Amino acid sequence: MHPREQTIFALSSGRPPTAIAIVRVSGAQAGRALETLASRRPAPRVATRALLRDAQDEAIDDAVVLWFPAPASATGEDVAEFHVHGGRAVLAALFAALSRFDDVRPAEPGEFTRRAFENGKIDLTEAEGLDDLIHADTDQQRRQALRQLKGLLGDKARDWRRQIIEAAALIEAGIDFADEGDVPEELVAPALARIVALKDEIEQALAASAHSERLRDGLVVAIAGAPNVGKSTLMNALARREVAIVSPHAGTTRDAIEVQLDLGGYPVTLIDTAGIRETDDPVEQEGVRRARARAGDADLVLWLTDARPLTDQPMDDLVTDTPRWLVRNKLDLDAENQAQIDAGILAAGRGLFRGGITEPGSAPERNFAISASRGDGVPELVRAVGCYAEQYFGAGESGLLGRERHRDLLRTTVEMLHRSISLRDRGDELVAEELRAAAFSLGRLLGRVDVEDLLDVIFRDFCIGK
């Protein structure tokens, strides 16, 4: 029997030992396995207590079982669930009993969800939303994944695809009735008007979701600056634990150190980079090169300074358009050094430095004064980064696109709709062909056409049992 036709089983709850463990079985043999192990097949969707026994009539566990006949199940196939005590020995005995049935095997990662997709229970965007929900680390990631799991993007895409197909049908009807005088124009004009409105709607969805797919990975914030200005100390203060080595010796940090934070529900990856300076040490040179590269790829750079005047620090050393905030550290220094810092900040506010750190008239929250060692000003900095993340990702409620794949296919759809409009004077046949291609692009978004290679990539990252 082909593996796709075999019955599969897997643990669908947490890693043992647990109070209760759920073992799910899906496929044509699910009912037989349930009848054999539980001595009966209970009424559909009714939790029923049963003593499970193996082929030797040895008791496995006192369990609760459920029966979900096809197609009214999560996968669209016959599904049985065994709710057993979550000890390793119990699960091992149940797995061994299930493995003895013909054409019953352990499930591969994501195979339950893949079968649900292949049986039309969910579309590909909903499957991706489920994967994102499982891996969500912050509240905002959870919210976005849940919106996608509810099918909001899929519903929109289906509606867009339906409108494109209807418009294409009008265009093709105009082609078929080309000898009927004014009939073609009566069909083509409203079809093109619908396409123009649809193109604008999809473009608005793309604009509203400008950064929403980045929410899955999080905002990247790099801490950069000269050596010994307190970057690692700030890293530890923001992470609230010692993740970076703090030393008075310059060049201690040689490679980038990363830590994931949850700021106001938004995921933030914080990077502590090597001190940026000229050096003859080849290892430190590589660290400086990597620091510049990571800062250039970041979404926000926190540029740290210390007691030295800003004119003595290489603030323009980063060639990047990444927004940079000036963070003056070591407020616990003596008054003389503090006065030097204040003088440097004043000069920066007058536009002495370039590169996006501060500019005349820039918002005051882009300059911060902190003591990373004592914690002074750190909560204000954390709140500001959280607000920046919220602005960067947008409110989130209007963002439909959770992955770059979604954005690429919608861009392609918009391009084809635009071409269909521009080709109006060159023949209705060309217009209809572009509309067919646009509908095909949205079909790929939903996973209904030409996505077999993509499915292997998506579902292999799922948990076993999902």
Side-chain angles (χ1 to χ4, degrees):
M1 181 176 290
H2 191 277
R4 296 278 180 85
E5 299 174 350
Q6 291 177 325
T7 297
I8 57 175
F9 69 87
L11 175 68
S12 295
S13 55
R15 181 180 301 176
T18 59
I20 299 295
I22 301 174
V23 176
R24 181 183 294 172
V25 183
S26 179
Q29 299 300 318
R32 186 166 70 92
L34 184 58
E35 289 177 349
T36 303
L37 297 179
S39 300
R40 57 176 167 163
R41 186 183 303 191
R45 290 170 292 280
V46 176
T48 305
R49 185 176 178 181
L51 180 63
L52 305 182
R53 295 183 177 276
D54 61 17
Q56 287 75 41
D57 204 34
E58 289 285 337
I60 298 174
D61 191 23
D62 188 3
V64 171
V65 297
L66 291 102
W67 168 241
F68 303 92
S73 69
T75 62
E77 302 174 330
D78 287 343
V79 171
E81 286 188 1
F82 298 87
H83 295 231
V84 298
H85 294 94
R88 292 185 176 87
V90 173
L91 289 171
L94 180 55
F95 290 163
L98 289 170
S99 296
R100 291 190 179 97
F101 291 95
D102 293 335
D103 296 319
V104 177
R105 61 172 175 82
E108 298 292 332
E111 194 167 4
F112 285 94
T113 306
R114 179 161 182 166
R115 291 191 177 193
F117 164 76
E118 290 173 340
N119 291 324
K121 306 298 288 188
I122 58 175
D123 64 39
L124 193 54
T125 66
E126 292 170 309
E128 290 168 324
L130 176 59
D131 185 36
D132 290 344
L133 187 62
I134 293 170
H135 294 96
D137 294 320
T138 71
D139 189 56
Q140 292 299 328
Q141 287 177 321
R142 176 189 64 81
R143 289 170 182 265
Q144 176 171 283
L146 193 56
R147 286 195 301 274
Q148 194 166 321
L149 180 58
K150 288 180 178 178
L152 297 187
L153 175 58
D155 290 344
K156 275 286 188 184
R158 275 186 287 274
D159 181 59
W160 291 335
R161 189 166 185 260
R162 176 186 58 79
Q163 293 186 57
I164 291 174
I165 292 173
E166 289 177 355
L170 291 175
I171 298 290
E172 291 177 0
I175 297 173
D176 293 337
F177 294 100
D179 57 348
E180 300 277 338
D182 59 348
V183 172
E185 189 59 32
E186 291 179 356
L187 295 173
V188 173
L192 289 178
R194 179 181 296 187
I195 291 302
V196 170
L198 184 59
K199 180 179 76 71
D200 293 341
E201 183 179 345
I202 298 177
E203 287 176 336
Q204 290 173 8
L206 283 166
S209 304
H211 293 101
S212 60
E213 74 271 11
R214 285 292 314 279
L215 187 59
R216 296 178 62 246
D217 301 320
L219 185 79
V220 178
V221 178
I223 303 175
N228 278 357
V229 294
K231 297 186 298 298
S232 297
T233 302
L234 177 59
M235 176 80 158
N236 292 339
L238 294 175
R240 297 183 180 179
R241 57 190 175 91
E242 292 188 4
V243 294
I245 298 175
V246 177
S247 168
H249 302 290
T252 300
T253 302
R254 297 297 183 94
D255 204 353
I257 300 173
E258 296 186 9
V259 64
Q260 276 69 45
L261 304 178
D262 179 349
L263 297 183
Y266 292 95
V268 174
T269 298
L270 194 66
I271 303 175
D272 177 23
T273 63
I276 296 178
R277 66 171 180 175
E278 297 297 328
T279 177
D280 295 328
D281 184 339
V283 178
E284 189 176 358
Q285 285 177 350
E286 176 62 17
V288 171
R289 185 195 68 78
R290 294 186 183 187
R292 289 194 174 105
R294 294 308 300 271
D297 293 337
D299 302 306
L300 175 66
V301 173
L302 304 180
W303 186 274
L304 255 64
T305 67
D306 58 10
R308 291 173 294 161
L310 294 183
T311 50
D312 295 341
Q313 302 189 47
M315 298 188 69
D316 283 334
D317 226 10
L318 294 176
V319 182
T320 175
D321 294 329
T322 302
R324 281 181 279 177
W325 292 358
L326 181 61
V327 181
R328 51 190 179 111
N329 189 23
K330 303 185 180 180
L331 287 182
D332 48 331
L333 297 175
D334 59 33
E336 179 181 353
N337 286 338
Q338 186 60 58
Q340 289 180 324
I341 294 178
D342 291 339
I345 290 291
L346 179 61
R350 290 171 179 162
L352 178 61
F353 298 103
R354 305 183 308 277
I357 303 170
T358 60
E359 295 293 342
S362 62
E365 65 269 21
R366 298 201 179 267
N367 290 335
F368 299 87
I370 69 168
S371 171
S373 60
R374 290 193 320 201
D376 300 354
V378 174
E380 290 76 12
L381 179 60
V382 169
R383 282 195 293 270
V385 175
C387 290
Y388 182 86
E390 181 178 358
Q391 295 171 0
Y392 182 86
F393 292 121
E397 298 302 324
S398 61
L400 289 174
L401 313 184
R403 301 193 176 208
E404 185 63 26
R405 183 184 79 88
H406 306 159
R407 181 173 294 276
D408 288 343
L409 287 171
L410 287 187
R411 286 199 196 102
T412 300
T413 302
V414 168
E415 291 172 2
M416 292 171 177
L417 294 179
H418 177 75
R419 283 203 296 269
S420 70
I421 297 168
S422 64
L423 291 171
R424 174 66 181 94
D425 294 334
R426 297 178 58 183
D428 293 343
E429 294 84 355
L430 296 178
V431 175
E433 181 59 33
E434 292 296 335
L435 293 181
R436 280 192 291 268
F440 184 85
S441 179
L442 288 177
R444 298 192 67 219
L445 176 65
L446 295 166
R448 296 309 175 201
V449 292
D450 190 32
V451 290
E452 188 64 29
D453 293 338
L454 178 64
L455 297 183
D456 293 333
V457 175
I458 290 176
F459 289 109
R460 73 185 181 194
D461 293 332
F462 271 67
C463 307
I464 293 177
K466 270 296 181 184

